[in-house]
Amino acid sequence: MVGWLAMVGVLLAAYLLGSIPTGYLVTRWLKGVDIRDYGSGGTGATNVLRTVGKGAGLTVLIIDILKGMAAVLLIKVAYPFIASAFQSSIPADGWPWWAALAGLMALVGHSRSIWIQFTGGKSAASGFGVLLALAWPIAMGAVVTFAVVLAISRIVSLSSIMAALVTIGLMAITGQPLPYLLLAIAGGLYVILRHRTNINRILAGTEPRLGSRKTSS
């Protein structure tokens, strides 16, 4: 029982890592404004890029990626110690399931941050960080997809959606562990759901393109 409680505590820590409101903090510090009042209203890197500038946008992007990585690496480090201490309740080979859950908690934390009234970003950057920690070749496939779609369409939201879909496909065809595949499906669908207003604008032909005066993230 104590072992399970310890793992729940680690999952909570993963959520709190993901919930660090990077975009909100950076724009508050640099401009004294609430990023949620500008552009798409999200705290993601693209909205920060448009509102504050390239340096701030890149900073937010990197930190959000690192948040996702840290959430998964935390459970990879903690799990062996917890499993060793509580062998009767925690299976030694069960860490992929917990790692996937930690990644999902980080995604939820990023988009529903406890620190800013459960608002946040679209979880694309944090999702990339989670992928890097779980299966970096899959992450590279996702980022290549994102880059190609962005180069063709100049629409960030469409690029994020396509990267999420490709991630699910790559997880399936490369034979990744079942927990990773389920995370890719759950996380990918979550990211797509977070982009539902962007999807409506894409279908209507009104979604702003990168380089235009308004860019949605």
Side-chain angles (χ1 to χ4, degrees), residues 33-180:
V33 300
D34 188 336
I35 188 63
R36 296 172 296 174
D37 296 332
Y38 295 84
S40 66
T43 61
T46 305
N47 204 29
V48 173
L49 167 67
R50 178 180 51 78
T51 304
V52 182
K54 294 180 180 179
L58 181 61
T59 299
V60 172
L61 176 66
I62 292 173
I63 295 176
D64 284 348
I65 291 172
L66 291 176
K67 290 191 313 186
M69 293 181 65
V72 175
L73 294 177
L74 173 66
I75 206 127
K76 284 188 174 182
V77 171
Y79 191 90
F81 294 100
I82 296 175
S84 176
F86 306 102
Q87 290 180 4
S88 60
S89 59
I90 300 294
D93 60 350
W95 70 265
W97 290 98
W98 291 95
L101 283 173
L104 187 60
M105 293 295 288
L107 296 184
V108 174
H110 178 78
S111 60
R112 301 294 182 186
S113 172
I114 191 174
W115 311 116
I116 49 174
Q117 296 78 51
F118 296 99
T119 59
K122 303 288 176 61
S123 297
S126 293
F128 177 65
V130 169
L131 279 178
L132 278 175
L134 288 177
W136 68 264
I138 306 297
M140 292 300 100
V143 78
V144 168
T145 300
F146 179 92
V148 170
V149 176
L150 184 62
I152 295 172
S153 68
R154 294 190 296 117
I155 299 176
V156 176
S157 56
L158 178 62
S159 304
S160 298
I161 292 167
M162 292 305 299
L165 292 173
V166 167
T167 296
I168 296 172
L170 289 176
M171 283 288 188
I173 66 176
T174 59
Q176 296 295 320
L178 179 60
Y180 295 1

